[in-house]
Amino acid sequence: MKVYDRALFPAPRDLFLESWLGAFSHVSKLYTENGRTRDYATQRPCLTGYKIGPLFADTAEIARALLAAVLPSIPEVHNAHEVFIDMPQPNVSAFALAEELGLEKVFETARMYSDHEPEIDLNRVFGVSTFELG
């Protein structure tokens, strides 16, 4: 998983991932292929409702399957909660999936870089890990 994550995040974050994916209140689902973790998603509570992130997948079909795997873990009162996914604008497939699922835009942010844009494949980032931690 570390190699897969490194292609989608501009810095090594092995310890962060270990803690994030296994945190008590987080539910993470992994997609494996030939015994290797490829794609994954994490659902977690936030101040209001729940957030999905990261949601990293090679295809929209896998992203959809991962969402289907993590969404049922939201408590039964999920109808009273909102679910948020922070999607990067360049990923057209992510926004098509959001539209298919009936999600709507709540707010927008801008990606800003101090030196250069990192070489990551945003077409495989269906949901960023978190804005809260910077």
Side-chain angles (χ1 to χ4, degrees), residues 112-130:
M112 299 170 57
Y113 306 100
S114 62
D115 184 24
H116 66 280
E117 186 174 343
E119 294 182 27
I120 57 174
D121 185 0
L122 290 175
N123 290 317
R124 292 168 34 207
V125 177
F126 286 78
V128 301
S129 299
T130 178

Side-chain angles (χ1 to χ4, degrees), residues 22-89:
F24 174 73
S25 59
H26 296 195
V27 174
S28 296
K29 299 293 182 178
L30 310 175
Y31 175 84
T32 59
E33 192 173 90
N34 297 324
R36 291 181 48 208
T37 299
R38 298 288 311 208
D39 315 303
Y40 59 95
T42 297
Q43 171 268 113
R44 68 193 188 282
C46 59
L47 189 58
T48 302
Y50 292 82
K51 285 198 176 188
I52 308 291
L55 175 53
F56 291 169
D58 289 345
T59 67
E61 292 76 24
I62 295 171
R64 185 181 300 103
L66 287 167
L67 281 172
V70 296
L71 288 175
S73 61
I74 294 175
E76 284 297 317
V77 294
H78 71 279
N79 291 331
H81 294 285
E82 296 175 314
V83 176
F84 302 94
I85 305 172
D86 299 320
M87 300 173 164
Q89 183 62 42

